[in-house]
Amino acid sequence: GESVGLHLPTLSVQEGDNSIINCAYSNSASDYFIWYKQESGKGPQFIIDIRSNMDKRQGQRVTVLLNKTVKHLSLQIAATQPGDSAVYFCAEMGRAGNMLTFGGGTRLMVKP
Amino acid sequence: ETGVTQSPTHLIKTRGQQVTLRCSSQSGHNTVSWYQQALGQGPQFIFQYYREEENGRGNFPPRFSGLQFPNYSSELNVNALELDDSALYLCASSQDRRNEKLFFGSGTQLSVL
C-alpha cells in the first residue's frame, strides 16, 4: 500500500548547526503533510504542517519544504539545540482521508 | 504539553486477557483517534471517533474496539490480548473529523506477557 518513509534512521549534528531531516512519500494523492517530534516517554508533539498547494512553510527555527515532483518532504531545524534531540516523524494524509500515515522516524542526536 | 490525558500510563496483562484504555480529549476537540506504536516504529492508525461514532478504521482486527462519550472522552478496548499487542497506545484529539493537526497524549504502555 501507500507509505511514507525516511531516508536516514539516525542523524547526529553538532549543537548550533542546522539539521535537515528527509522524508519520501509515495502517495501522489496526499495533500497534507505534518512533522512531529517525539521525546522519550512522551507522545508525538506537533512541529509544523504544510499543504500540497505550498512549497515551503516556516515556523520558529523550523522550515518544511515540499517537493511534489519527487515526492519529498524535509524538515530543517536552524541552530540545533540539545533540546531538539528526539525522534522525528513525518506523516501524510490523502485528500479524501482522515487518517495520518506515519513514516518510521529519524532519531536526531545533538552533540554539545 | 497538550490537553490530552491518557490512563493508565503503564499496564501489564497476560495473553488472552482484555484491557480498557482511557483518553480525555483536549478542550474544544470533538474527534478522537487511537494509534498503536510498536517499539522503534511510527504510530499506526487504529480508528477514529467523531460524535460518538466510529469514523474510519485502520488495519486492525475487530477485537480492537472503542467508544466515545458525549463529553468526547474515549475508550479503547482490546479483547483476547496477544503478545504482539505489546505497544504504546496513543490517543489524539483534533478539532474536526478531517483529523489534521492531531494533539497526542503521552500514551499507555501496554505489555502483554
Side-chain angles (χ1 to χ4, degrees):
Chain A
E2 302 287 4
S3 65
V4 173
L6 296 175
H7 296 300
L8 299 172
T10 302
L11 178 65
S12 184
V13 301
Q14 202 70 37
E15 181 179 357
D17 287 350
N18 296 333
S19 303
I20 300 176
I21 301 172
N22 296 302
C23 177
Y25 65 96
S26 57
N27 185 357
S28 57
S30 295
D31 72 337
Y32 177 75
F33 304 86
I34 189 168
W35 282 97
Y36 282 94
K37 170 187 179 184
Q38 188 172 25
E39 297 174 281
S40 181
K42 296 184 179 180
Q45 176 187 354
F46 169 82
I47 302 174
I48 192 168
D49 57 0
I50 188 169
R51 297 191 183 281
S52 59
N53 61 352
M54 302 173 69
D55 297 323
K56 178 180 180 180
R57 192 167 186 215
Q58 289 184 291
Q60 188 177 15
R61 277 201 310 119
V62 295
T63 301
V64 56
L65 298 177
L66 176 62
N67 186 330
K68 295 179 287 293
T69 302
V70 295
K71 297 178 189 164
H72 185 267
L73 189 70
S74 68
L75 176 70
Q76 300 179 358
I77 304 174
T80 312
Q81 302 168 0
D84 295 326
S85 294
V87 177
Y88 289 80
F89 293 98
C90 66
E92 56 90 15
M93 184 185 297
R95 192 166 292 113
N98 65 346
M99 173 184 79
L100 280 176
T101 300
F102 283 79
T106 292
R107 181 173 299 281
L108 176 65
M109 300 175 63
V110 182
K111 296 177 289 186
Chain B
E1 293 290 329
T2 70
V4 180
T5 58
Q6 294 187 242
S7 63
T9 55
H10 295 82
L11 201 53
I12 299 175
K13 291 285 189 179
T14 56
R15 194 170 46 184
Q17 285 189 310
Q18 178 267 342
V19 69
T20 297
L21 310 181
R22 294 179 174 82
C23 171
S24 294
S25 61
Q26 184 162 312
S27 177
H29 288 186
N30 58 19
T31 304
V32 172
S33 300
W34 287 91
Y35 283 77
Q36 180 195 66
Q37 186 176 23
L39 188 63
Q41 298 182 20
Q44 283 196 297
F45 177 73
I46 303 175
F47 43 53
Q48 178 202 56
Y49 277 84
Y50 172 71
R51 293 186 177 180
E52 302 177 55
E53 293 192 358
E54 188 178 292
N55 183 48
R57 189 180 184 92
N59 189 26
F60 281 82
R63 61 189 184 85
F64 285 78
S65 63
L67 285 172
Q68 187 182 31
F69 301 99
N71 66 354
Y72 305 128
S73 65
S74 178
E75 288 183 353
L76 165 66
N77 299 290
V78 186
N79 294 322
L81 283 167
E82 302 177 359
L83 297 180
D84 285 348
D85 295 334
S86 295
L88 180 68
Y89 287 85
L90 294 162
C91 171
S93 71
S94 59
Q95 289 183 314
D96 56 54
R97 59 195 296 177
R98 165 73 176 166
N99 233 17
E100 295 175 358
K101 201 168 181 177
L102 295 175
F103 291 85
F104 284 87
S106 294
T108 294
Q109 185 65 54
L110 173 65
S111 298
V112 182
L113 307 178

